[in-house]
């Protein structure tokens, strides 16, 4: 698996963000309803969705490293700056079978 193919996706208040490992944004989609928010609320939704998507991507990268490196994976991913808040990665729309296609 190419690590560049790993992404996370999250939706917050009508804003959907897809991010790669480390937080590189791949896409941002905004619903018509979200476009009616004020600037502050829309900005917060984008940032929250990006944080969740990044956490999911980083968690997935850690899982790939864990399969390859075993117990040392967490140190490697932390050294690469791929840490994440488990609460953000574990929300209700997390797909636990993401590796199956």
């Amino acid at each position: 698996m190419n690590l560049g193919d790993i992404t996370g996706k999250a939706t917050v208040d009508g804003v959907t963000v897809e991010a790669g490992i480390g937080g590189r944004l791949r896409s941002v989609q905004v619903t018509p309803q979200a476009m009616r928010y004020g600037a502050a609320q829309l900005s917060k939704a984008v940032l929250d969705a990006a944080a969740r998507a990044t956490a999911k991507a980083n968690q997935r990268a850690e899982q790939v490293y864990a399969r390859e490196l075993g117990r040392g994976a967490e140190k490697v991913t932390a050294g690469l700056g791929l840490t994440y808040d488990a609460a953000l990665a574990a929300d209700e729309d997390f797909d636990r079978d993401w590796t199956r296609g």
Side-chain angles (χ1 to χ4, degrees), residues 27-96:
S27 69
V28 177
Q29 297 173 335
V30 181
T31 64
Q33 177 188 1
M35 290 297 291
R36 291 191 285 268
Y37 298 157
Q41 186 177 355
L42 181 58
S43 296
K44 182 177 180 338
V46 170
L47 292 175
D48 290 350
R52 289 180 181 276
T54 300
K56 291 176 186 182
N58 288 355
Q59 180 186 52
R60 291 170 180 169
E62 184 178 86
Q63 291 169 350
V64 169
Y65 277 110
R67 277 197 304 268
E68 299 299 321
L69 302 176
R71 298 177 73 121
E74 192 172 310
K75 266 188 168 177
V76 171
T77 55
L80 293 172
L82 302 180
T83 58
Y84 62 93
D85 181 339
L88 293 177
D91 69 6
E92 65 280 351
D93 66 354
F94 181 65
D95 177 6
R96 299 204 184 279

Side-chain angles (χ1 to χ4, degrees), residues 13-35:
D13 294 336
V15 175
T16 301
V17 173
E18 182 179 15
I21 58 175
R24 187 177 135 252
L25 296 185
R26 299 266 180 108
S27 69
V28 177
Q29 297 173 335
V30 181
T31 64
Q33 177 188 1
M35 290 297 291

